[in-house]
Amino acid sequence: MGRLILKDISKKFNDFLALENVNFEVEDGEFVCLLGPSGCGKTTILRLAAGLDSPTDGEIFLDGKKIAGTNKECGFVFQEYALFPWRTAKGNIEFGPQVKGCSKEECERISRHYIDLVGLRGFEDHFPHELSGGMKQRVGIARAYANKPKLLLMDEPFGALDAQTRNIMQAELLRIWEKEHISVLFVTHSVDEAVYLADRVVVMSARPGTVKEIFGINLPRPRIRTSPEANALRDAILRSLGSEIKRAASI
Amino acid sequence: MKNSLKILLVVILAILAAGCIGGNKTPQSVSEPINLVKMSGQDMVQRLGTGEIAGFIMWEPYPAIAMTNGYGKPLLYSGQIWKGHPCCVVAYDYNWYKNTTNADEILKRMALVQLKSVEYINNAKETRSPDHEDLIKYTMEFGGMTDPKAANLSLSDVEFVYAPNIADAQTFITRIQDFGIFDSEKWNQSGYKNASDYANALINKSYSDWASQNKNANLTSVALKTPVTIRYAYLVNDIHELPFYVGWKKGWFKDAGINITLSDGTPFQNGAFEMQKGFKSGVVDIGSLGIPPVIIHRINSNDFTIDDTRVEVVAGMNNEGSVIVVGKNITSMKDLSGKTVGYPGPGTIQHVLFLMEADKEGLKVRY
Amino acid sequence: MKVDSGKKGLVINLLSLIGLVVLWHLLVILARENIFNIPFIRLRDVPTPVETWYALIGSLFTKTYGPALTVGILEHTQASLLRVIEGGIIAFIIGVPLGIGIGYSKPIGNVLNPIIEIVRNMPPMAWIPLAVFILVAGGSIFIVFIGTVFPIILNTIHGVKSTDLRLIDAAKTLGASGSQMITKVIIPSAFPSIIAGLRIGLGVGWMAIVAAEMVIRSPIGLGYFIWNMGELGRYPEMVAGMIVIGVIGYIMNISILLLQKRFVKWVD
Ligand SMILES: Nc1ncnc2c1ncn2[C@@H]1O[C@H](COP(=O)(O)OP(=O)(O)OP(=O)(O)O)[C@@H](O)[C@H]1O
Ligand SMILES: [Mg+2]
């Protein structure tokens, strides 16, 4: 469950062509990273997949169902957390179950489970402004998971974190992903992060955004960041991406 | 933080609670107090018509207008509250007096014109009198009336007089004191020993005495050698002050060597306003108004070293002439309890008269 | 260090108030002694702070003089506060839904905005004649309502419009329906703004009630009290009433600020 297909996707904002002819898939249970120069349309792809926006051309399918209108079967983790500031950590996690009409006990049970899963025990009753960046993103992830999505869309979730926390969060994410086993489409600017996390890496080119190259990463987990295979892949991806970034800058 | 919030809440609750306690401390008579609400005479008539107020106490012609319109009926004439009570008087400003060399001579002539006007009105009130038609015309003009019936009715309960009455003024002073309208602190500062002392200081009968000695004299024969100009003030549409209007329209002041100009602010809304915006501001030399405002404002004055609210009464205008008019379903003062009654303002003669009647009936009045 | 500077600030606050009282006293005394007077002001008529204080103490409670009930300042304050609270509650009940409707839905905004833009520019005082001549009852409460409702509407609109779009997206992906979006995202997000509107509105309402009570005569209310005392020449009571009006307005403002701080914990 959780097979995402993007077919001939184009997206125009007024006259500006942001995406052109984007084609790729996220297999069931697969972890795919999206890499590309700034402004190439990564966030736009996630928003289209979530049904928050609709493509100008082409179609998107989740488990064979065409996406039209907000896609309630995917969880979105935003770059700037986007937590409800008036809700506690627990309250944020319970938002999805609550709007679905779960009973109070059911909501409690779900939030307890995910608070434990992301390691936030003891911080349930903290408001977002009382949490660190890493903690906020854990809440964001837990909130997305608590909605039992088939597909998790993550937009540079660890971009604002320091390197240390980032590494820890990556490991945590993999742990949770393995446990819950859902598909993930993960946007990042960090090749290192992509090589550490992904089953496949989609590299995009800019203006208009389209898929340039796809790399499969068949390394066993837990991966060693500095293994020769990892280094080789990183170099290959960086080369592909680097020429794109240069091109984007020169346009 | 939490504490300051608590303190604030306590303060607010305390204010609300204290208000209640304060209210309860007043001996709760069996009945609700009557609410006196200030409004203009026209408003009183209109609101009585729409039933927004249960009644009003006001000077003529408003009672007569309300009655002829069929909006209300008289509950009490002020003569029934206090037989022959003094009402409007003629008073001069003490600062004007000090700065005018022949002030005494002017005031004598003012009193004489007043006497002649009062005699004219009293004769012309008779329907057979040849002057009756003129009088009704003057009454309608001054009282702002369109209906001669109302004009006749408004004259019927007013007794026009020219001599001021010291004994009755003294009664007023005592009652005003009882009713707490004076600032009790100020009485001692004012320098008056008691009500009689104050009444004697307030009223000067020498001018009206001179007028009655010369009542048969021709005005031109006693005229001032050099004419003077007086800034005069009166109350809006107040039939009580008709003697002034008659003397003015008939040219009798001019005959006596007095040119009348109306002061800034004339006609005034009520006597309290005339005292403050007229005499106190120094824009009025001589004016007619109810005796209670004259009494009240000197005592409530803030600074007794100056004479800004010091006036002296030189002549009467009228006795009686106010009416408590009520709408449907009201047959006694008791019926008014808990209801709203219009009046011309705090410290007016109608205010004092209403309190006197409520006192007799054991009713409470909120104003 | 921080505590020290706080204390220092408080001392300066107090000194400034004391300074004002001393200046007030001096000006009145100098005028009464004929030493100095500001033109066009009868300063000698102004009561001194001490006279005002005694007038305040003397007129706090309702007193009975024979038939006459002289209503105390506390009872007047209570009546005025009650009117402001009543008018404020009505304004809140009407203003918040209107503000949400206008802020959230373009068509509703298009219909109501022009009306609100015109009507809100008629100050509450401009409605007093209408309240006097046309309304049969509740005129003062109506004036408070007029003064309070527009700040509430405008602040609600502002709060709704400045709701973080990412929060709306987040709620959408989490499955919120249209009405859930309003109750669970828009309203909580706009809440601080709504409370700010209430605070500003009640401030305007408090000013409006005093003005209204001078014209719309019921024999109780602070505006009525100060006007009545002025008419009777009892200026110390009049000024005492004015000061009470200022203090109550200040307390109202601070109370709502504190309540907001207490209940809107997420805004730092
Ligand atoms: N709502 C919009 N209206 C107009 N243009 C838009 C809109 N959203 C995105 N764009 C444009 O589309 C392009 C792609 O934007 P997008 O945010 O998807 O880029 P991105 O790859 O996520 O960039 P970054 O890595 O900086 O986050 C950009 O040029 C952006 O200016
Ligand atoms: Mg982006």
Side-chain angles (χ1 to χ4, degrees):
Chain A
M1 296 275 273
R3 184 159 187 257
L4 180 76
I5 302 172
L6 289 90
K7 218 172 146 196
D8 303 329
I9 293 298
S10 295
K11 176 68 184 172
K12 263 188 182 174
F13 293 108
N14 300 320
D15 284 337
F16 175 73
L17 188 59
L19 294 174
E20 190 179 38
N21 223 9
V22 173
N23 282 290
F24 72 88
E25 293 180 17
V26 180
E27 296 295 335
D28 185 16
E30 194 185 18
F31 199 124
V32 174
C33 274
L34 207 49
L35 270 170
S38 187
C40 72
K42 304 181 293 292
T43 299
T44 306
I45 288 177
L46 292 195
R47 290 180 57 81
L48 293 176
L52 293 172
D53 226 332
S54 48
T56 316
D57 258 316
E59 291 171 316
I60 303 175
F61 298 93
L62 183 62
D63 286 338
K65 259 191 293 177
K66 191 182 161 181
I67 289 171
T70 307
N71 177 2
K72 293 181 180 173
E73 288 175 322
C74 66
F76 209 121
V77 180
F78 298 83
Q79 177 170 10
E80 295 99 345
Y81 320 126
L83 300 181
F84 304 115
W86 54 87
R87 285 177 167 249
T88 58
K90 181 165 160 285
N92 266 282
I93 294 167
E94 286 179 4
F95 187 94
Q98 274 176 14
V99 300
K100 285 213 175 83
C102 291
S103 69
K104 219 177 150 137
E105 295 76 44
E106 180 73 0
C107 289
E108 289 269 339
R109 199 188 56 71
I110 295 173
S111 67
R112 219 174 307 122
H113 172 76
Y114 286 101
I115 278 172
D116 286 348
L117 194 68
V118 298
L120 275 179
R121 173 108 35 109
F123 293 92
E124 298 93 324
D125 296 326
H126 284 52
F127 285 96
H129 76 269
E130 297 166 325
L131 298 172
S132 73
M135 286 166 147
K136 279 187 230 187
Q137 205 50 287
R138 284 167 201 252
V139 176
I141 293 166
R143 182 175 69 178
Y145 268 108
N147 223 20
K148 298 252 156 43
K150 295 176 175 172
L151 170 71
L152 200 58
L153 302 165
M154 305 181 81
D155 194 358
E156 299 184 46
F158 307 142
L161 304 181
D162 62 272
Q164 205 83 37
T165 317
R166 202 178 169 133
N167 285 349
I168 297 168
M169 289 296 291
Q170 287 165 357
E172 292 280 296
L173 177 62
L174 286 180
R175 182 175 62 77
I176 300 164
W177 168 69
E178 274 161 6
K179 218 170 177 170
E180 300 281 317
H181 203 79
I182 54 180
S183 326
V184 177
L185 180 55
F186 188 107
V187 169
T188 179
H189 273 124
S190 159
V191 178
D192 180 74
E193 188 168 61
V195 172
Y196 182 71
L197 292 173
D199 294 320
R200 279 190 303 149
V201 174
V202 177
V203 175
M204 291 183 66
S205 63
R207 315 236 176 144
T210 189
V211 176
K212 183 188 179 198
E213 208 172 342
I214 298 179
F215 296 85
I217 302 176
N218 297 314
L219 301 177
R221 294 187 175 94
R223 292 172 182 162
I224 298 154
R225 290 173 200 268
T226 49
S227 70
E229 297 92 331
N231 285 342
L233 268 165
R234 208 165 22 238
D235 282 348
I237 296 172
L238 265 176
R239 232 176 292 121
S240 171
L241 190 62
S243 66
E244 238 5 270
I245 292 173
K246 261 188 222 135
R247 197 176 71 80
S250 68
I251 294 175
Chain B
M1 183 69 202
K2 262 188 183 165
N3 279 341
S4 50
L5 186 76
K6 270 183 199 151
I7 291 166
L8 271 175
L9 282 174
V10 167
V11 168
I12 290 171
L13 286 178
I15 288 170
L16 292 177
C20 294
I21 294 163
N24 291 340
K25 257 172 45 179
T26 61
Q28 287 282 319
S29 44
V30 206
S31 49
E32 281 274 292
I34 303 169
N35 295 309
L36 281 185
V37 173
K38 183 187 159 167
M39 52 186 79
S40 73
Q42 274 165 335
D43 239 15
M44 292 179 195
V45 173
Q46 194 194 330
R47 286 180 186 228
L48 188 65
T50 60
E52 281 168 65
I53 54 175
F56 66 76
I57 179 164
M58 190 55 176
W59 60 65
E60 291 288 4
Y62 297 106
I65 293 172
M67 289 183 233
T68 43
N69 284 355
Y71 290 168
K73 53 183 187 296
L75 179 66
L76 277 172
Y77 288 90
S78 62
Q80 293 170 280
I81 298 173
W82 175 1
K83 179 104 195 82
H85 72 83
C87 183
C88 285
V89 294
V90 181
Y92 69 79
D93 175 39
Y94 203 74
N95 283 323
W96 165 81
Y97 182 83
K98 279 189 296 195
N99 299 325
T100 310
T101 42
N102 61 339
D104 284 328
E105 296 309 311
I106 297 168
L107 291 170
K108 282 176 189 166
R109 271 87 190 158
M110 292 288 300
L112 185 58
V113 173
Q114 182 73 11
L115 181 153
K116 290 197 181 272
S117 301
V118 166
E119 288 198 332
Y120 169 88
I121 295 173
N122 286 341
N123 287 327
K125 262 177 155 183
E126 295 296 324
T127 34
R128 283 169 313 216
S129 160
D131 294 326
H132 186 70
E133 212 170 301
D134 276 355
L135 178 67
I136 293 303
K137 197 190 79 192
Y138 289 138
T139 307
M140 281 165 52
E141 276 171 21
F142 190 60
M145 281 174 278
T146 49
D147 185 352
K149 252 195 289 178
N152 264 307
L153 188 60
S154 73
L155 286 173
S156 64
D157 57 309
V158 186
E159 183 193 336
F160 294 96
V161 296
Y162 66 89
N165 184 325
I166 295 179
D168 286 345
Q170 194 182 319
T171 308
F172 259 129
I173 293 169
T174 316
R175 299 318 304 269
I176 289 168
Q177 212 163 11
D178 294 344
F179 297 155
I181 297 170
F182 285 150
D183 185 342
S184 52
E185 297 290 312
K186 292 289 167 70
W187 184 264
N188 297 325
Q189 295 172 34
S190 68
Y192 304 110
K193 284 198 278 294
N194 50 38
S196 144
D197 188 23
Y198 184 34
N200 278 297
L202 198 64
I203 296 176
N204 188 333
K205 284 190 73 109
S206 69
Y207 308 108
S208 60
D209 287 348
W210 183 88
S212 48
Q213 281 154 25
N214 293 280
K215 68 194 282 183
N216 295 319
N218 198 316
L219 280 173
T220 42
S221 69
V222 296
L224 296 168
K225 289 192 184 67
T226 39
V228 294
T229 298
I230 293 296
R231 296 172 302 167
Y232 196 90
Y234 59 77
L235 303 182
V236 60
N237 296 147
D238 192 343
I239 289 306
H240 301 171
E241 300 176 1
L242 192 60
F244 163 75
Y245 190 71
V246 167
W248 186 34
K249 286 291 141 176
K250 290 229 166 260
W252 292 341
F253 288 108
K254 204 167 205 136
D255 290 348
I258 300 166
N259 292 317
I260 297 287
T261 61
L262 296 184
S263 84
D264 284 354
T266 300
F268 284 93
Q269 220 185 332
N270 64 40
F273 264 95
E274 185 170 326
M275 280 305 300
Q276 298 219 56
K277 302 302 288 178
F279 286 105
K280 197 179 177 80
S281 313
V283 301
V284 172
D285 300 329
I286 301 177
S288 40
L289 69 165
I291 184 138
V294 170
I295 293 172
I296 288 163
H297 281 263
R298 179 65 181 164
I299 296 299
N300 282 352
S301 169
N302 236 23
D303 185 355
F304 293 98
T305 62
I306 53 168
D307 289 321
D308 63 345
T309 51
R310 185 165 162 198
V311 298
E312 195 170 55
V313 172
V314 295
M317 270 285 181
N318 74 304
N319 294 340
E320 306 188 352
S322 296
V323 190
I324 301 177
V325 181
V326 293
K328 283 187 235 69
N329 308 328
I330 306 283
T331 53
S332 70
M333 281 290 281
K334 288 201 170 62
D335 290 346
L336 289 174
S337 69
K339 300 211 161 64
T340 301
V341 172
Y343 83 131
T348 57
I349 184 149
Q350 289 77 16
H351 183 201
V352 179
L353 287 168
F354 195 87
L355 289 174
M356 287 171 73
E357 183 59 24
D359 199 20
K360 274 194 243 167
E361 303 256 352
L363 296 166
K364 295 282 177 235
V365 177
R366 198 152 54 181
Y367 68 89
Chain C
M1 184 63 205
K2 213 176 176 187
V3 174
D4 266 354
S5 64
K7 269 186 187 157
K8 215 169 159 189
L10 209 68
V11 169
I12 294 172
N13 290 165
L14 271 178
L15 281 179
S16 117
L17 277 181
I18 292 170
L20 175 72
V21 172
V22 169
L23 181 71
W24 165 16
H25 183 80
L26 276 179
L27 281 175
V28 174
I29 294 301
L30 289 177
R32 289 196 187 165
E33 298 295 330
N34 276 322
I35 297 168
F36 168 76
N37 194 40
I38 301 172
F40 303 114
I41 305 179
R42 288 201 305 254
L43 267 181
R44 63 190 325 141
D45 276 351
V46 176
T48 62
V50 176
E51 286 167 355
T52 307
W53 173 253
Y54 281 118
L56 175 69
I57 299 303
S59 51
L60 274 181
F61 295 100
T62 300
K63 286 183 188 149
T64 312
Y65 295 96
L69 289 182
T70 332
V71 178
I73 285 185
L74 289 173
E75 211 175 316
H76 285 299
T77 306
Q78 187 191 22
S80 297
L81 267 180
L82 225 65
R83 286 182 187 129
V84 168
I85 290 170
E86 285 167 356
I89 288 174
I90 299 171
F92 192 83
I93 290 172
I94 293 177
V96 171
L98 267 181
I100 290 171
I102 294 168
Y104 191 61
S105 141
K106 271 238 167 72
I108 296 181
N110 285 338
V111 172
L112 293 181
N113 263 331
I115 301 172
I116 285 175
E117 281 307 310
I118 302 271
V119 178
R120 83 182 174 91
N121 280 301
M122 305 179 200
M125 300 5 162
W127 289 82
I128 290 179
L130 184 138
V132 169
F133 297 117
I134 293 175
L135 279 188
V136 175
S140 308
I141 294 171
F142 174 73
I143 296 300
V144 172
F145 167 78
I146 290 290
T148 313
V149 77
F150 292 106
I152 291 179
I153 292 179
L154 294 180
N155 274 273
T156 305
I157 294 175
H158 171 77
V160 168
K161 286 204 165 158
S162 49
T163 303
D164 192 338
L165 287 177
R166 286 169 310 175
L167 296 186
I168 292 179
D169 284 343
K172 271 189 197 159
T173 62
L174 290 169
S177 66
S179 63
Q180 283 171 332
M181 189 66 78
I182 290 175
T183 55
K184 288 191 182 294
V185 181
I186 306 272
I187 291 179
S189 161
F191 189 71
S193 203
I194 293 172
I195 296 299
L198 182 68
R199 190 168 62 82
I200 297 165
L202 286 182
V204 176
W206 184 243
M207 294 181 192
I209 188 71
V210 173
E213 283 169 346
M214 290 185 190
V215 185
I216 305 167
R217 300 306 191 99
S218 99
I220 186 157
L222 276 174
Y224 174 82
F225 172 78
I226 59 172
W227 187 268
N228 233 13
M229 288 300 125
E231 219 169 292
L232 282 172
R234 300 182 68 160
Y235 304 139
E237 281 84 355
M238 180 182 80
V239 174
M242 289 166 60
I243 291 172
V244 169
I245 289 168
V247 170
I248 299 285
Y250 175 74
I251 291 178
M252 264 171 41
N253 192 26
I254 292 286
S255 313
I256 299 175
L257 273 179
L258 287 182
L259 283 176
Q260 178 170 2
K261 274 205 177 140
R262 193 169 159 71
F263 289 110
V264 188
K265 285 206 195 97
W266 65 89
V267 182
D268 27 17

